[in-house]
Amino acid sequence: MPRPLPETPAPGQESVWDYPRPPRVEPVAARVTIRLGGELIADTRDAVRVLETSHPPVYYLPIADFAPGALVDAEGSSFCEFKGAARYLDVVGGGLTRPGAAWNYPQPSAGYGILRDRVAVYAAPMDACTVDGEVVTPQPGRFYGGWVTANVVGPFKGVPGSMGW
């Protein structure tokens, strides 16, 4: 599938096609929350987001801002050419466990050190993930962990046929 035509952002919106490659990490001036099993398992004003061409932002929250027991080591790992080796975590809340629904970079590559003690969470298996009160939509596809909010436009990597973008 050829690269799609980017949507035109409205005032106050960003196009994911204007995000850089390699990705950029930047602080988020917003309250970010995650709920699972009816419980608030993470709440922070200290998130960062990773911005990469064609992807909605991936939000990383401080591990310390998760409820005790909400993150449990899980099987599996992956490698990002930019951020390095990732480990996976199960997410637990309200009596529910979502296997491998979170990840972090214990020893991130140069330039991504701010991610060391932070965790990203797939939005789809959670009750809700919010950015300043807005419930996010999960990035399409089963591999990617971006969070779509009203301030970003695509099209987004992860839709059928987008592997070659």
Side-chain angles (χ1 to χ4, degrees):
M1 175 181 218
R3 179 180 162 173
L5 293 175
E7 297 171 23
T8 302
Q13 290 184 314
E14 305 169 342
S15 170
V16 299
W17 291 93
D18 292 332
Y19 293 163
R21 188 165 171 87
R24 179 176 73 237
V25 181
E26 65 181 27
V28 175
R31 180 180 180 205
V32 178
T33 67
I34 301 173
R35 292 186 176 277
L36 178 62
E39 290 182 2
L40 181 66
I41 62 164
D43 188 349
T44 191
R45 289 190 173 275
D46 185 26
V48 298
R49 63 184 192 156
V50 173
L51 307 177
E52 181 175 358
T53 306
S54 77
H55 296 263
V58 176
Y59 288 78
Y60 287 80
L61 287 65
I63 292 171
D65 289 348
F66 281 80
L71 300 171
V72 178
D73 287 340
E75 295 202 14
S77 63
S78 61
F79 185 80
C80 170
E81 65 183 304
F82 303 111
K83 297 179 288 292
R87 69 176 176 139
Y88 286 84
L89 302 150
D90 295 342
V91 181
V92 179
L96 301 176
T97 299
R98 299 295 188 238
W103 70 96
N104 95 306
Y105 295 92
Q107 298 297 320
S109 299
Y112 295 92
I114 194 168
L115 300 180
R116 177 172 287 111
D117 295 318
R118 296 174 182 275
V119 172
V121 174
Y122 290 105
M126 301 300 115
D127 293 351
C129 299
T130 68
V131 176
D132 264 352
E134 178 185 350
V135 176
V136 307
T137 300
Q139 180 173 5
R142 298 182 63 199
F143 180 74
Y144 304 107
W147 292 5
V148 179
T149 57
N151 72 322
V152 296
V153 296
F156 306 113
K157 184 152 180 121
V159 297
S162 65
M163 284 303 291
W165 293 357

